[in-house]
Amino acid sequence: MPFHTLHPFFAMFAVASLVAIGCSQPDEEGMPDDRRYVISQITFGPDGSFQSAAAFSNSLEADGEVDPADTVPLPTSSVVSKGPIPGSFLVSSGETPEVFRYEVTEAGVNEFGPVSFAGRGVSVAAGPPTVLLASERKAYYLDLNSLRAFTFDPIELVILDEWTLEGFASPSEMHPEVVLSTQVLRRNSDLLIPVLYRDIANATAASLARILAIDTETDEVQVIEDQRCGMLTFGVELVNGDIYYASDAQNGAFMLARPDANTPGCLLRLKDGERSFDRDFFVSLADVTGTEGSGSLLAGPDGTAYLVAYDDSVLPVPDAFSEIYGASAWRTVRTTLGDTVESATPSNDFPLRSGAIAPISVDGVTYDAQISVYFDSTTLFITSEGPVPQAGLTFSGFPAAIVSLQ
């Protein structure tokens, strides 16, 4: 099954074991060494149907192992997120407006909950709402399709509060799809989540960069926006506290397919301590990579970062967006972030790939999840440590998320 036929499903986000049903307090039994990480895993059948599961690994390095027999089936399209206590994880269901907590012990995997948001205006039609952990006793449940937000207690699994997410509706009917980035950065008490607006069927995106900023101490929500470019999805924070965001490679594919209907990609910056984009900083991605067909951002070591860029010497640019984005003709390139951004150079440590990037940060380490064209396997590349990327864990299917259980 070609990559581009599956892409709309993949872009909406970001198997059997013992499951005992519980109802209240965390289990205090020990956590097994072979289940140090949980992978929110999506696998596809020969007929194109897909399954969601929680898979486990002892390591994310190349010698790590995922036992296909040691998985927990989840509702279709579900996504896993960080749990409130060691050994736990939360699951946002893709079938019903509910969140479950799972706890991994030597005796098995125990299920608690759910907390239900049914009857409160939540929709799961476009994929599961986002769950973000603020503290042991507070998590967020965010549904940008209905512009509803909730706080809930992830231990007791009860709703604490709810409100409307004003200021995050799509800016135009031309771009009805509202998508939260799968990458969330935490700076002090703030959670920072990029929001993008697009019409994937017509290969267009709004020229609007927005960040959803949530103060986890006060629950204050702020809109950080910029109209110089759009489709920001991933950010890299430097040691000085500055955060750089880039337009997604999907925007680069839109530009190659429909240059007159889209805005070129760019790099923007949030300076340390600021809650607005730096008006003195703007970098065109094409100036860095040499092509409008570029985007996305991965953390490298020592202030460097990786982008992907379409290489038309490998394959002349097809006419259709889906064929451009899905082609194995995208190269990973490397640059240095700062007040000025250097022209990128190819990084030959990565294979040619499609335009899809799924950066995953676990325990302070950034991984590039390189997904095969047919979505049947994923290899992690460790990008933020050492002078060159190192291949890590390989597993079947592709990850909606990876969470440390430690």
Side-chain angles (χ1 to χ4, degrees):
M1 183 176 298
F3 178 96
H4 63 266
T5 63
L6 300 176
H7 171 70
F9 163 77
F10 172 74
M12 281 190 276
F13 317 86
V15 310
S17 180
L18 170 66
V19 179
I21 304 299
C23 58
S24 57
Q25 292 302 312
D27 198 311
E28 296 182 356
E29 295 184 54
M31 188 175 65
D33 289 337
D34 59 349
R35 293 174 176 168
R36 300 180 67 189
Y37 301 93
V38 58
I39 301 169
S40 185
Q41 184 185 47
I42 311 294
T43 55
F44 289 87
D47 60 352
S49 63
F50 58 89
Q51 294 179 313
S52 297
F56 303 97
S57 177
N58 62 332
S59 172
L60 299 183
E61 297 186 1
D63 59 356
E65 296 181 359
V66 176
D67 182 355
D70 181 26
T71 56
V72 175
L74 301 176
T76 305
S77 301
S78 297
V79 173
V80 166
S81 59
K82 187 74 174 177
I85 58 175
S88 70
F89 59 94
L90 300 173
V91 173
S92 179
S93 172
E95 296 179 354
T96 55
E98 296 176 324
V99 173
F100 299 81
R101 185 180 75 251
Y102 289 82
E103 294 174 12
V104 180
T105 72
E106 290 284 2
V109 182
N110 302 320
E111 180 188 289
F112 297 85
V115 54
S116 175
F117 303 89
R120 297 175 181 264
V122 175
S123 170
V124 296
T130 297
V131 172
L132 303 173
L133 185 70
S135 65
E136 183 176 311
R137 302 309 295 258
K138 185 170 74 173
Y140 295 96
Y141 186 76
L142 308 175
D143 176 24
L144 259 67
N145 293 290
S146 62
L147 297 177
R148 302 294 298 156
F150 303 82
T151 53
F152 69 95
D153 185 325
I155 297 292
E156 296 295 334
L157 293 172
V158 293
I159 296 173
L160 302 175
D161 198 5
E162 63 180 287
W163 66 93
T164 300
L165 282 169
E166 299 179 356
F168 287 96
S170 177
S172 72
E173 294 181 356
M174 293 177 58
H175 306 104
E177 298 169 60
V178 183
V179 183
L180 278 178
S181 172
T182 57
Q183 184 199 57
V184 179
L185 295 180
R186 183 157 190 163
R187 184 165 68 176
N188 300 321
S189 63
D190 282 350
L191 295 176
L192 303 174
I193 317 106
V195 186
L196 59 95
Y197 307 91
R198 69 180 183 203
D199 180 354
I200 200 168
N202 290 308
T204 61
S207 179
L208 176 63
R210 272 186 179 163
I211 304 290
L212 171 66
I214 303 175
D215 187 323
T216 57
E217 295 179 353
T218 66
D219 295 336
E220 175 194 4
V221 179
Q222 180 177 334
V223 181
I224 302 174
E225 69 175 39
D226 196 300
Q227 297 185 351
R228 291 177 288 178
C229 67
M231 284 198 78
L232 304 191
T233 49
F234 307 128
V236 169
E237 183 173 9
L238 302 188
V239 292
N240 66 359
D242 292 349
I243 300 175
Y244 292 77
Y245 284 100
S247 301
D248 194 73
Q250 189 178 100
N251 187 78
F254 286 168
M255 279 295 300
L256 294 181
R258 301 191 61 190
D260 296 335
N262 288 285
T263 304
C266 77
L267 280 164
L268 299 179
R269 177 170 66 182
L270 284 178
K271 297 193 75 172
D272 182 34
E274 297 293 326
R275 265 191 164 197
S276 60
F277 285 110
D278 182 356
R279 299 304 301 179
D280 295 325
F281 181 87
F282 178 87
V283 175
S284 164
L285 285 183
D287 289 346
V288 177
T289 65
T291 174
E292 298 287 7
S294 56
S296 300
L297 200 63
L298 281 162
D302 303 322
T304 63
Y306 298 96
L307 296 150
V308 294
Y310 192 92
D311 187 343
D312 59 10
S313 69
V314 174
L315 179 70
V317 178
D319 293 330
F321 151 73
S322 60
E323 295 177 356
I324 298 169
Y325 191 58
S328 296
W330 295 74
R331 291 194 182 278
T332 305
V333 297
R334 183 169 174 170
T335 187
T336 299
L337 302 175
D339 290 333
T340 59
V341 179
E342 301 174 355
S343 295
T345 57
S347 177
N348 296 321
D349 301 295
F350 292 95
L352 286 168
R353 61 187 302 160
S354 73
I357 280 188
I360 294 172
S361 182
V362 184
D363 295 336
V365 179
T366 299
Y367 301 84
D368 174 15
Q370 293 206 6
I371 303 163
S372 67
V373 170
Y374 292 92
F375 277 80
D376 54 1
S377 69
T378 298
T379 296
L380 301 180
F381 280 79
I382 304 168
T383 64
S384 61
E385 296 189 347
V388 297
Q390 297 293 322
L393 179 68
T394 295
F395 51 91
S396 61
F398 71 90
I402 298 177
V403 172
S404 172
L405 293 172
Q406 301 173 74

